[in-house]
Amino acid sequence: MAFDIEKIRNDFPILQRRVHNKPFVYFDNAATTQKPLRVIERMDKIYLETNSNIHRGIHYLSDVSTRQFEEARETVRKFINAGNDHEVIFTSGTTAGINMVAFSYGEKYVSEGDEIIISSLEHHSNIVPWQMLCERKGASLKVIPINDYGELLIDEYEKLFSSKTRIVALTHVANSTGTKNPVKKMIGTAHRNGVPVLVDGAQAVQHGKVDVQELDADFYVFSGHKMYGPTGTGVVYGKESILEEIPPWQTGGEMVDQVTFGKTTFNRLPFKFEAGTPNYTGVIGLAAAIQYIEETGLNDIASYEKELLDYGNKRLSEIDGLNLFWEAENKISIFSFILEGIHPYDAGMIIDKYGIAVRTGNHCAQPFMERFGIGGTIRASLVFYNTCEEIDRLCEAIEKVKEMFS
Ligand code: PLP
């Protein structure tokens, strides 16, 4: 094993608790991850010692707070290897980030008759904002199809481009299946067609190194709470050349330069896109989460999670009556399955009674589930603080579910 799993588990206080009087197994990490003590303590320290609103304050604490907030921006910049700090915009999460881009970019560049490409693997938050944009502008959505393993059909993708394509919005890793898309290649295809790409990185940044310059992504969006950071935090990376051209989304304080009743001019990047008081406590907590991930090592995290994936695939496929879906070749440690003759919701409720948290349902991907003619699955999503023993516990609980329904 590449790293000290006992130590890692001790860094996450919540993992030590019991649920239904059983040791707690948390397999709902794609919904949100748990937080290491370091992140919790970092945020406590702000409220105990340095809390003050940021930017434009002339007093001591405002200055400290502003510095910490801007240092967090630099931490994020380095983490994703953005070229400039001002290409990193803080939002409340992936959903807010995609809405921001769909609105701002759409306002400037999308008109009647235009087309937007998304994929069959998208979370609702990378479908609905584009659909609404299409409705506002009279544009239409084109959807990249998938095969039975939950992998995108790249040849079909290439055929979707036309002179009317304005943007591609694509998930890096799908939350319903764990499929990792070949985003670098797909960005290359879009760029050869003169089309920019937004990548939804909500399920990717916590599982392996993301380098936005190497990918050549035009926008890269993610959430803090899915990467061991606080809720209500997120990031939009955008290329400076595009961010300069598109209008702000939300307006108000912070994002302005001069305001008169006749006209308002906007602040420079990134503040043009950060209206109002940002979640500076959360953002500083997010930087602490990134430092934790970096110290643990993204390569070690990825290889340990691959061990979990291989072990889980082996153990779950040994269970009679368990249908494991979407064994894409390139994927992260997410297992989506159904038990023959048992509703996922019923199974999930019983599994919970064994102290194991899994998620059941359509995982905010209804069109995807429809494609396979199912209402939903049981999803176990694992990260680097999970263990093979916990997978064994899940398998035992599944056997109990089967017994109860036999
Ligand atoms: N995109 C993907 C791939 C997701 O998995 C999720 C959440 O599960 C989102 C977007 C939305 O993220 P948030 O709810 O943090 O805005």
Side-chain angles (χ1 to χ4, degrees), residues 29-32 91-98 121-126 171-176 200-204 206 221-226 231-234 334 359 363-364 379:
N29 293 288
T32 197
T91 65
S92 61
T94 305
T95 304
I98 296 171
L121 284 172
E122 301 310 316
H123 186 280
H124 292 160
S125 63
N126 204 23
T171 194
H172 197 164
V173 171
N175 72 307
S176 45
D200 172 353
Q203 300 292 348
Q206 63 282 52
V221 186
F222 53 98
S223 297
H225 72 101
K226 292 183 194 287
T231 50
T233 59
I334 287 181
R359 187 151 291 248
H363 317 302
C364 290
R379 183 185 71 184

Side-chain angles (χ1 to χ4, degrees), residues 57-240:
I58 45 109
H59 62 83
Y60 176 74
L61 284 192
S62 177
D63 189 42
V64 171
S65 202
T66 303
R67 212 162 352 100
Q68 290 173 348
F69 181 75
E70 292 304 329
E71 280 167 9
R73 201 187 301 277
E74 171 62 10
T75 302
V76 173
R77 184 199 69 72
K78 280 202 206 126
F79 182 61
I80 56 171
N81 193 32
N84 299 294
D85 275 11
H86 56 255
E87 292 175 314
V88 172
I89 295 158
F90 289 116
T91 65
S92 61
T94 305
T95 304
I98 296 171
N99 273 280
M100 179 204 122
V101 177
F103 182 88
S104 300
Y105 182 87
E107 204 54 22
K108 173 94 183 185
Y109 291 114
V110 178
S111 351
E112 194 170 346
D114 284 345
E115 294 166 358
I116 293 167
I117 298 178
I118 61 169
S119 91
S120 302
L121 284 172
E122 301 310 316
H123 186 280
H124 292 160
S125 63
N126 204 23
I127 302 175
V128 186
W130 303 110
Q131 213 164 37
M132 301 288 285
L133 170 63
C134 287
E135 276 177 28
R136 287 197 302 276
K137 299 285 185 165
S140 60
L141 281 186
K142 301 272 162 193
V143 184
I144 312 165
I146 34 175
N147 64 20
D148 289 345
Y149 298 102
E151 295 164 327
L152 295 179
L153 298 176
I154 301 301
D155 292 350
E156 298 299 317
Y157 165 63
E158 288 170 5
K159 292 182 204 153
L160 292 179
F161 286 89
S162 79
S163 60
K164 294 186 173 305
T165 313
R166 291 292 165 262
I167 190 165
V168 174
L170 181 66
T171 194
H172 197 164
V173 171
N175 72 307
S176 45
T177 62
T179 309
K180 236 185 207 174
N181 290 320
V183 283
K184 186 172 178 193
K185 184 173 169 204
M186 295 176 79
I187 291 170
T189 304
H191 286 175
R192 279 194 295 285
N193 285 278
V195 175
V197 180
L198 172 139
V199 180
D200 172 353
Q203 300 292 348
V205 279
Q206 63 282 52
H207 297 291
K209 180 68 190 164
V210 167
D211 180 329
V212 291
Q213 293 192 81
E214 200 224 326
L215 290 176
D216 204 15
D218 301 279
F219 296 101
Y220 195 97
V221 186
F222 53 98
S223 297
H225 72 101
K226 292 183 194 287
M227 51 184 295
Y228 317 103
T231 50
T233 59
V235 171
V236 171
Y237 158 80
K239 280 185 184 162
E240 178 181 3

Side-chain angles (χ1 to χ4, degrees), residues 285-322:
L286 173 60
I290 289 175
Q291 281 153 3
Y292 182 82
I293 292 173
E294 285 177 332
E295 281 170 26
T296 309
L298 265 170
N299 287 340
D300 287 348
I301 288 174
S303 57
Y304 178 69
E305 289 179 352
K306 174 76 171 66
E307 283 176 32
L308 293 175
L309 174 66
D310 291 343
Y311 186 75
N313 272 334
K314 176 178 165 298
R315 290 289 281 112
L316 290 170
S317 53
E318 284 163 2
I319 298 177
D320 274 350
L322 183 148

